[in-house]
Amino acid sequence: METPAYDDHLPTPAQRALDALAVNAEDQSALDTLAHSDVLVPVPDDAVDGEGADSSTVALPVLERTGGDPVVPVFTSEGTMAEQLPFISRYRLIPLGALAAQWPDDDLSLAIDGSSQHGLTLTSQGVRTLLAR
């Protein structure tokens, strides 16, 4: 049986959920889809090889934004990550809901697909209340 080629130009269920949330921020079906989706958490190429190897913990990449809260970037596809962070070649695949359930209490925001056409940024409180399902 031939495996169909993956077309990164077709939207993933998570990307379709992000598009639906752009139209209606309270779309429960889209929030459920997003919470149950896996996201790519970038691992900097200069990270030590064993770093983050414990499957129960994840080192979050934090970007400092000028005049804003620090943000953790995650992505719904390899293509989207490559477009926005071309210098990153490694990542960990993590269920977004599991990540959200352990989100820190500080002012750390989450950017899902960042500045892409379907990107969404949530405050720390938004991550915990909307995605920790």
Side-chain angles (χ1 to χ4, degrees), residues 5-91:
Y6 176 72
D7 182 354
D8 199 40
H9 298 292
L10 294 176
T12 66
Q15 289 167 342
R16 286 192 298 273
L18 289 170
D19 290 340
L21 290 169
V23 173
N24 176 7
E26 297 180 19
D27 184 328
Q28 291 302 310
S29 176
L31 287 168
D32 286 343
T33 297
L34 196 56
H36 290 94
S37 296
D38 289 338
V39 292
L40 288 66
V41 178
V43 174
D45 288 338
D46 61 353
V48 179
D49 274 342
E51 189 177 343
D54 178 359
S55 63
S56 66
T57 63
V58 125
L60 297 175
V62 179
L63 302 177
E64 297 295 328
R65 296 188 301 182
T66 306
D69 291 334
V71 64
V72 173
V74 299
F75 300 92
T76 57
S77 72
E78 288 180 348
T80 303
M81 186 176 82
E83 288 172 10
Q84 294 188 29
L85 297 177
F87 51 90
I88 300 292
S89 61
R90 298 186 306 164
Y91 60 85

Coordinates of all heavy atoms in Angstrom, one line a residue, residues 5-91:
A5 N 1.5 11.2 -0.1 CA 2.5 12.2 0.2 C 1.8 13.3 1.0 O 0.6 13.6 0.8 CB 3.0 12.8 -1.1
Y6 N 2.5 13.8 2.0 CA 1.9 14.8 2.9 C 2.0 16.1 2.2 O 3.1 16.5 1.7 CB 2.7 14.8 4.2 CG 2.2 15.9 5.1 CD1 1.0 15.9 5.7 CD2 3.0 17.1 5.3 CE1 0.5 16.9 6.5 CE2 2.5 18.1 6.1 CZ 1.3 18.0 6.7 OH 0.9 19.0 7.5
D7 N 1.0 16.9 2.1 CA 1.0 18.2 1.4 C 0.8 19.2 2.5 O -0.3 19.4 3.1 CB -0.2 18.3 0.4 CG -0.2 19.6 -0.3 OD1 0.6 20.5 0.1 OD2 -1.0 19.8 -1.2
D8 N 1.9 19.9 2.8 CA 1.9 20.9 3.9 C 1.1 22.1 3.6 O 0.9 23.0 4.4 CB 3.4 21.3 4.3 CG 3.5 21.9 5.7 OD1 2.8 21.4 6.6 OD2 4.2 22.9 5.8
H9 N 0.6 22.2 2.4 CA -0.2 23.4 2.0 C -1.7 23.1 2.3 O -2.5 24.1 2.3 CB 0.0 23.7 0.5 CG 1.4 24.1 0.2 ND1 2.0 25.2 0.6 CD2 2.3 23.4 -0.5 CE1 3.2 25.3 0.2 NE2 3.5 24.2 -0.5
L10 N -2.1 21.9 2.6 CA -3.4 21.6 3.0 C -3.5 21.9 4.5 O -2.6 21.6 5.3 CB -3.8 20.2 2.8 CG -3.8 19.7 1.3 CD1 -4.1 18.2 1.2 CD2 -4.9 20.5 0.6
P11 N -4.5 22.6 4.9 CA -4.6 23.0 6.4 C -4.9 21.8 7.2 O -5.6 20.9 6.9 CB -5.8 23.9 6.4 CG -6.6 23.8 5.2 CD -5.6 23.2 4.2
T12 N -4.2 21.7 8.4 CA -4.4 20.7 9.4 C -5.7 21.0 10.1 O -6.2 22.1 10.1 CB -3.2 20.6 10.3 OG1 -3.2 21.9 11.1 CG2 -1.9 20.5 9.6
P13 N -6.2 20.0 10.9 CA -7.4 20.2 11.7 C -7.1 21.4 12.7 O -8.0 22.2 12.9 CB -7.6 18.9 12.4 CG -7.1 17.9 11.5 CD -5.9 18.5 10.8
A14 N -5.9 21.5 13.2 CA -5.6 22.6 14.1 C -5.6 23.9 13.4 O -6.1 24.9 14.0 CB -4.2 22.3 14.8
Q15 N -5.1 24.0 12.2 CA -5.2 25.2 11.5 C -6.6 25.6 11.1 O -7.0 26.8 11.2 CB -4.3 25.1 10.2 CG -2.8 25.1 10.5 CD -2.0 24.6 9.3 OE1 -2.4 24.1 8.4 NE2 -0.7 24.9 9.4
R16 N -7.4 24.6 10.8 CA -8.8 24.9 10.5 C -9.5 25.4 11.8 O -10.4 26.4 11.7 CB -9.5 23.7 9.9 CG -9.1 23.4 8.5 CD -10.1 22.4 7.8 NE -10.0 21.1 8.5 CZ -9.2 20.1 8.2 NH1 -8.3 20.3 7.3 NH2 -9.2 19.0 8.8
A17 N -9.2 24.9 12.9 CA -9.7 25.4 14.2 C -9.3 26.8 14.5 O -10.1 27.6 14.9 CB -9.3 24.4 15.3
L18 N -8.0 27.1 14.2 CA -7.5 28.5 14.4 C -8.3 29.5 13.5 O -8.7 30.6 13.9 CB -6.0 28.6 14.1 CG -5.1 27.9 15.1 CD1 -3.7 27.9 14.6 CD2 -5.2 28.7 16.5
D19 N -8.6 29.0 12.2 CA -9.3 29.9 11.3 C -10.8 30.1 11.8 O -11.3 31.2 11.8 CB -9.4 29.3 9.9 CG -8.1 29.3 9.2 OD1 -7.2 30.1 9.6 OD2 -7.9 28.5 8.3
A20 N -11.4 29.0 12.4 CA -12.7 29.2 12.9 C -12.7 30.1 14.1 O -13.7 30.9 14.3 CB -13.3 27.8 13.3
L21 N -11.7 30.0 15.0 CA -11.6 30.9 16.2 C -11.4 32.4 15.8 O -11.8 33.2 16.5 CB -10.5 30.4 17.1 CG -10.8 29.1 17.8 CD1 -9.6 28.5 18.5 CD2 -12.0 29.3 18.8
A22 N -10.8 32.6 14.6 CA -10.6 34.0 14.2 C -12.0 34.6 13.8 O -12.2 35.8 14.0 CB -9.7 34.0 12.9
V23 N -12.9 33.8 13.5 CA -14.3 34.2 13.1 C -15.1 34.3 14.4 O -15.9 35.2 14.6 CB -14.9 33.3 12.1 CG1 -16.4 33.7 11.9 CG2 -14.1 33.4 10.8
N24 N -15.0 33.3 15.2 CA -15.8 33.2 16.5 C -14.9 32.7 17.6 O -14.7 31.4 17.7 CB -17.0 32.3 16.2 CG -17.8 32.1 17.5 OD1 -17.6 32.7 18.5 ND2 -18.8 31.2 17.5
A25 N -14.4 33.5 18.4 CA -13.5 33.2 19.5 C -14.1 32.2 20.5 O -13.3 31.7 21.3 CB -13.0 34.5 20.2
E26 N -15.4 32.0 20.5 CA -16.0 31.2 21.5 C -16.5 29.8 20.9 O -17.3 29.1 21.5 CB -17.2 31.9 22.2 CG -16.7 33.1 22.9 CD -17.8 33.8 23.6 OE1 -18.9 33.3 23.8 OE2 -17.6 35.0 24.0
D27 N -16.0 29.5 19.7 CA -16.4 28.3 19.0 C -15.9 27.1 19.8 O -14.7 26.7 19.7 CB -15.8 28.3 17.6 CG -16.2 27.1 16.8 OD1 -16.4 26.0 17.3 OD2 -16.3 27.3 15.5
Q28 N -16.7 26.4 20.5 CA -16.3 25.3 21.4 C -15.8 24.1 20.7 O -14.8 23.5 21.1 CB -17.5 24.9 22.3 CG -17.9 25.9 23.4 CD -16.7 26.2 24.3 OE1 -16.0 25.4 24.8 NE2 -16.4 27.5 24.4
S29 N -16.3 23.8 19.5 CA -15.8 22.7 18.7 C -14.4 23.0 18.2 O -13.5 22.1 18.3 CB -16.7 22.5 17.5 OG -16.2 21.5 16.6
A30 N -14.1 24.2 17.8 CA -12.8 24.6 17.4 C -11.8 24.6 18.6 O -10.7 24.1 18.4 CB -12.8 26.0 16.8
L31 N -12.2 25.0 19.7 CA -11.4 25.0 20.9 C -11.1 23.5 21.3 O -9.9 23.2 21.7 CB -12.1 25.7 22.1 CG -12.1 27.2 22.0 CD1 -13.0 27.8 23.1 CD2 -10.7 27.8 22.1
D32 N -12.1 22.7 21.2 CA -11.9 21.2 21.5 C -10.9 20.6 20.5 O -10.0 19.9 20.9 CB -13.2 20.5 21.5 CG -14.1 20.7 22.7 OD1 -13.6 21.2 23.7 OD2 -15.3 20.4 22.6
T33 N -11.0 20.9 19.3 CA -10.1 20.4 18.2 C -8.7 20.9 18.5 O -7.8 20.1 18.5 CB -10.6 20.9 16.8 OG1 -11.8 20.3 16.6 CG2 -9.6 20.4 15.8
L34 N -8.6 22.2 18.8 CA -7.2 22.7 19.1 C -6.6 22.1 20.3 O -5.5 21.7 20.3 CB -7.4 24.2 19.3 CG -6.1 25.0 19.2 CD1 -5.4 24.8 17.9 CD2 -6.4 26.5 19.3
A35 N -7.4 22.0 21.4 CA -6.9 21.4 22.7 C -6.5 19.9 22.5 O -5.6 19.5 23.2 CB -8.0 21.5 23.7
H36 N -7.1 19.2 21.5 CA -6.7 17.8 21.3 C -5.7 17.6 20.2 O -5.4 16.5 19.8 CB -8.0 17.0 21.1 CG -8.8 16.9 22.3 ND1 -9.9 17.7 22.6 CD2 -8.7 16.0 23.3 CE1 -10.4 17.4 23.7 NE2 -9.7 16.4 24.2
S37 N -5.2 18.7 19.7 CA -4.2 18.6 18.6 C -2.8 18.6 19.2 O -2.5 19.1 20.2 CB -4.3 19.9 17.7 OG -5.5 19.9 17.0
D38 N -1.9 18.0 18.4 CA -0.5 18.0 18.7 C 0.1 19.2 18.1 O -0.3 19.7 17.0 CB 0.2 16.8 18.2 CG -0.1 15.5 18.9 OD1 -0.6 15.6 20.1 OD2 0.1 14.4 18.3
V39 N 1.1 19.8 18.9 CA 1.8 21.0 18.4 C 3.3 20.7 18.4 O 3.8 19.9 19.2 CB 1.5 22.3 19.1 CG1 0.1 22.7 18.9 CG2 1.8 22.1 20.6
L40 N 4.0 21.4 17.5 CA 5.5 21.3 17.5 C 6.1 22.4 18.4 O 5.8 23.6 18.2 CB 6.0 21.5 16.1 CG 5.7 20.4 15.0 CD1 4.2 20.2 14.7 CD2 6.4 20.7 13.8
V41 N 6.8 21.9 19.4 CA 7.5 22.9 20.3 C 9.0 22.9 19.8 O 9.7 21.9 19.9 CB 7.4 22.4 21.8 CG1 8.1 23.4 22.7 CG2 5.9 22.3 22.2
P42 N 9.4 24.0 19.3 CA 10.8 24.1 18.8 C 11.8 23.8 19.9 O 11.7 24.2 21.1 CB 11.0 25.6 18.4 CG 9.6 26.1 18.2 CD 8.7 25.3 19.2
V43 N 12.9 23.1 19.5 CA 14.1 22.8 20.3 C 15.2 23.5 19.7 O 15.6 23.2 18.5 CB 14.3 21.3 20.5 CG1 15.6 21.1 21.2 CG2 13.2 20.6 21.1
P44 N 15.8 24.5 20.3 CA 16.9 25.2 19.7 C 18.1 24.3 19.3 O 18.3 23.3 20.0 CB 17.4 26.2 20.8 CG 16.2 26.4 21.7 CD 15.5 25.1 21.6
D45 N 18.7 24.5 18.2 CA 19.7 23.6 17.7 C 20.9 23.6 18.6 O 21.7 22.7 18.6 CB 20.2 24.0 16.3 CG 19.1 23.7 15.2 OD1 18.3 22.8 15.5 OD2 19.1 24.3 14.2
D46 N 21.1 24.7 19.4 CA 22.2 24.7 20.3 C 21.9 24.1 21.7 O 22.7 24.1 22.6 CB 22.7 26.1 20.5 CG 21.7 27.1 21.1 OD1 20.5 26.7 21.3 OD2 22.1 28.2 21.4
A47 N 20.7 23.5 21.8 CA 20.3 22.8 23.1 C 21.2 21.6 23.3 O 21.5 20.9 22.3 CB 18.9 22.4 23.1
V48 N 21.6 21.3 24.5 CA 22.4 20.1 24.8 C 21.5 18.9 24.4 O 20.3 18.8 24.7 CB 22.7 20.1 26.3 CG1 23.5 18.8 26.7 CG2 23.5 21.3 26.7
D49 N 22.2 17.8 23.8 CA 21.5 16.7 23.3 C 20.6 16.0 24.3 O 19.5 15.6 23.9 CB 22.4 15.7 22.7 CG 22.8 16.0 21.2 OD1 22.0 16.8 20.6 OD2 23.8 15.6 20.7
G50 N 20.9 15.8 25.5 CA 20.0 15.1 26.5 C 19.0 16.0 27.1 O 18.1 15.6 27.8
E51 N 19.1 17.3 26.8 CA 18.2 18.3 27.5 C 16.8 18.1 27.1 O 16.5 17.9 25.9 CB 18.6 19.7 27.0 CG 17.9 20.8 27.8 CD 18.5 22.2 27.3 OE1 19.5 22.3 26.7 OE2 17.8 23.2 27.6
G52 N 15.9 18.0 28.0 CA 14.5 17.8 27.7 C 14.2 16.4 27.4 O 13.1 16.1 26.8
A53 N 15.1 15.4 27.6 CA 14.8 14.0 27.2 C 13.8 13.4 28.1 O 13.2 12.4 27.7 CB 16.1 13.2 27.3
D54 N 13.6 13.9 29.3 CA 12.5 13.4 30.2 C 11.2 13.7 29.6 O 10.8 14.8 29.4 CB 12.7 14.0 31.6 CG 11.6 13.6 32.6 OD1 10.7 12.8 32.2 OD2 11.7 14.1 33.7
S55 N 10.4 12.6 29.3 CA 9.2 12.8 28.6 C 8.1 13.5 29.4 O 7.1 13.9 28.9 CB 8.6 11.5 28.1 OG 8.4 10.6 29.1
S56 N 8.3 13.6 30.7 CA 7.3 14.3 31.6 C 7.6 15.8 31.7 O 6.7 16.5 32.2 CB 7.3 13.6 32.9 OG 8.5 13.9 33.6
T57 N 8.7 16.3 31.2 CA 8.9 17.7 31.2 C 9.3 18.2 29.8 O 9.8 17.4 29.0 CB 10.1 18.0 32.2 OG1 11.3 17.4 31.7 CG2 9.8 17.6 33.6
V58 N 9.1 19.5 29.6 CA 9.5 20.1 28.4 C 10.1 21.4 28.7 O 9.6 22.2 29.5 CB 8.2 20.2 27.5 CG1 8.0 21.6 27.0 CG2 8.3 19.3 26.4
A59 N 11.2 21.7 28.0 CA 11.8 23.0 28.1 C 11.2 23.9 27.1 O 11.2 23.6 25.9 CB 13.3 22.9 27.9
L60 N 10.5 24.9 27.6 CA 9.7 25.8 26.7 C 10.7 26.9 26.1 O 11.4 27.6 26.8 CB 8.6 26.5 27.4 CG 7.5 25.6 28.0 CD1 6.5 26.4 28.8 CD2 6.8 24.8 26.9
P61 N 10.6 27.1 24.8 CA 11.4 28.1 24.2 C 10.7 29.5 24.4 O 9.5 29.6 24.0 CB 11.4 27.8 22.7 CG 10.2 27.0 22.5 CD 9.9 26.3 23.8
V62 N 11.3 30.4 25.0 CA 10.6 31.7 25.4 C 11.3 32.8 24.5 O 12.5 33.0 24.6 CB 10.7 32.0 26.9 CG1 10.1 33.3 27.2 CG2 10.1 30.9 27.7
L63 N 10.5 33.5 23.8 CA 10.9 34.7 23.1 C 10.5 35.9 23.8 O 9.3 36.0 24.3 CB 10.3 34.7 21.6 CG 10.6 33.4 20.8 CD1 9.9 33.5 19.5 CD2 12.1 33.3 20.6
E64 N 11.4 36.9 23.9 CA 11.0 38.2 24.5 C 10.5 39.1 23.4 O 11.1 39.3 22.4 CB 12.3 38.8 25.1 CG 12.9 38.0 26.3 CD 12.0 37.8 27.5 OE1 11.2 38.8 27.8 OE2 12.0 36.8 28.1
R65 N 9.3 39.7 23.7 CA 8.7 40.6 22.8 C 8.9 42.0 23.3 O 8.7 42.3 24.5 CB 7.2 40.4 22.6 CG 6.9 39.0 21.9 CD 5.5 38.9 21.6 NE 4.6 39.0 22.8 CZ 3.3 38.9 22.8 NH1 2.7 38.6 21.7 NH2 2.6 39.0 23.9
T66 N 9.2 43.0 22.5 CA 9.4 44.4 22.9 C 8.1 44.9 23.4 O 7.1 44.9 22.6 CB 9.9 45.2 21.7 OG1 11.1 44.6 21.2 CG2 10.2 46.6 22.2
G67 N 8.0 45.3 24.6 CA 6.8 45.9 25.2 C 5.7 45.0 25.4 O 4.6 45.4 25.7
G68 N 6.0 43.7 25.4 CA 4.9 42.7 25.7 C 5.4 41.6 26.6 O 6.6 41.5 27.0
D69 N 4.5 40.7 27.0 CA 4.8 39.6 27.8 C 5.7 38.6 27.0 O 5.6 38.5 25.7 CB 3.6 38.8 28.2 CG 2.8 39.6 29.2 OD1 3.3 40.5 29.9 OD2 1.5 39.4 29.3
P70 N 6.6 37.8 27.6 CA 7.3 36.8 26.9 C 6.3 35.8 26.3 O 5.3 35.6 26.9 CB 8.2 36.2 28.0 CG 7.7 36.7 29.3 CD 6.8 37.9 29.1
V71 N 6.7 35.2 25.2 CA 5.8 34.3 24.5 C 6.5 33.0 24.1 O 7.7 33.0 23.8 CB 5.3 35.0 23.2 CG1 6.4 35.3 22.3 CG2 4.2 34.2 22.6
V72 N 5.8 31.9 24.2 CA 6.3 30.6 23.8 C 5.7 30.3 22.4 O 4.4 30.2 22.3 CB 5.9 29.5 24.8 CG1 6.2 28.1 24.3 CG2 6.5 29.7 26.2
P73 N 6.5 30.1 21.4 CA 6.0 29.8 20.1 C 5.8 28.3 19.9 O 6.7 27.5 20.3 CB 7.1 30.3 19.1 CG 8.3 30.1 19.9 CD 8.0 30.3 21.4
V74 N 4.6 27.9 19.4 CA 4.4 26.5 19.0 C 3.7 26.5 17.6 O 3.2 27.6 17.2 CB 3.5 25.7 20.0 CG1 4.1 25.7 21.4 CG2 2.1 26.3 20.1
F75 N 3.8 25.4 17.0 CA 3.3 25.4 15.6 C 2.5 24.2 15.3 O 2.6 23.1 15.9 CB 4.6 25.4 14.6 CG 5.4 26.6 14.9 CD1 6.4 26.6 15.8 CD2 5.1 27.8 14.2 CE1 7.2 27.8 16.0 CE2 5.8 29.0 14.5 CZ 6.9 29.0 15.3
T76 N 1.6 24.3 14.3 CA 0.7 23.2 13.9 C 1.2 22.4 12.8 O 0.6 21.3 12.5 CB -0.7 23.8 13.5 OG1 -0.5 24.7 12.4 CG2 -1.4 24.5 14.7
S77 N 2.3 22.8 12.2 CA 2.9 22.0 11.1 C 4.4 22.3 10.9 O 4.9 23.4 11.4 CB 2.2 22.2 9.7 OG 2.6 23.5 9.2
E78 N 5.2 21.4 10.3 CA 6.6 21.7 10.1 C 6.8 22.8 9.1 O 7.7 23.6 9.3 CB 7.2 20.4 9.5 CG 7.4 19.3 10.5 CD 8.1 18.1 9.9 OE1 8.2 18.0 8.6 OE2 8.5 17.2 10.7
G79 N 5.9 22.9 8.1 CA 6.0 24.0 7.2 C 5.9 25.4 7.8 O 6.6 26.3 7.5
T80 N 4.9 25.5 8.7 CA 4.7 26.8 9.4 C 5.8 27.1 10.3 O 6.3 28.3 10.3 CB 3.3 26.8 10.2 OG1 2.3 26.4 9.3 CG2 3.1 28.1 10.8
M81 N 6.4 26.1 11.0 CA 7.5 26.4 11.8 C 8.7 26.8 11.0 O 9.4 27.8 11.3 CB 7.9 25.1 12.6 CG 9.0 25.4 13.7 SD 9.3 24.0 14.7 CE 10.4 23.1 13.6
A82 N 9.0 26.1 9.8 CA 10.1 26.5 9.0 C 10.0 27.9 8.4 O 11.0 28.5 8.2 CB 10.2 25.4 7.9
E83 N 8.8 28.3 8.1 CA 8.6 29.7 7.6 C 8.9 30.7 8.6 O 9.5 31.7 8.3 CB 7.1 29.8 7.1 CG 6.7 29.1 5.9 CD 5.2 29.2 5.6 OE1 4.5 29.9 6.3 OE2 4.8 28.5 4.7
Q84 N 8.5 30.5 9.9 CA 8.7 31.5 10.9 C 10.0 31.4 11.7 O 10.5 32.4 12.1 CB 7.5 31.4 11.8 CG 6.2 31.8 11.1 CD 5.1 32.0 12.0 OE1 5.2 32.3 13.2 NE2 3.9 31.8 11.5
L85 N 10.5 30.2 11.8 CA 11.8 29.9 12.5 C 12.7 29.1 11.7 O 13.0 27.9 12.0 CB 11.5 29.3 13.9 CG 10.7 30.1 14.9 CD1 10.5 29.2 16.2 CD2 11.4 31.4 15.2
P86 N 13.2 29.6 10.5 CA 14.0 28.7 9.6 C 15.3 28.2 10.2 O 15.8 27.2 9.7 CB 14.2 29.6 8.4 CG 14.1 31.0 9.0 CD 13.1 30.9 10.1
F87 N 15.7 28.8 11.3 CA 17.0 28.4 11.9 C 16.8 27.2 12.9 O 17.7 26.7 13.5 CB 17.6 29.6 12.7 CG 16.7 30.3 13.6 CD1 16.5 29.9 14.9 CD2 15.9 31.3 13.1 CE1 15.7 30.6 15.8 CE2 15.0 32.0 14.0 CZ 14.9 31.6 15.3
I88 N 15.5 26.8 13.1 CA 15.2 25.7 14.0 C 14.9 24.4 13.2 O 14.1 24.4 12.3 CB 14.0 26.0 14.9 CG1 14.2 27.2 15.8 CG2 13.6 24.8 15.8 CD1 15.3 27.1 16.9
S89 N 15.6 23.3 13.5 CA 15.4 22.1 12.8 C 14.9 21.0 13.6 O 14.5 19.9 13.1 CB 16.7 21.7 12.1 OG 17.7 21.4 13.1
R90 N 14.8 21.2 15.0 CA 14.4 20.1 15.9 C 13.1 20.6 16.6 O 13.0 21.8 16.9 CB 15.4 19.7 16.8 CG 16.7 19.1 16.2 CD 17.7 18.6 17.2 NE 18.1 19.6 18.2 CZ 18.7 19.3 19.3 NH1 19.0 18.0 19.6 NH2 19.0 20.2 20.1
Y91 N 12.3 19.7 17.0 CA 11.1 20.0 17.8 C 10.6 18.8 18.5 O 11.0 17.7 18.3 CB 10.0 20.6 16.9 CG 9.5 19.6 15.8 CD1 8.5 18.6 16.1 CD2 10.0 19.6 14.5 CE1 8.1 17.7 15.2 CE2 9.6 18.7 13.6 CZ 8.7 17.7 13.9 OH 8.2 16.8 13.0

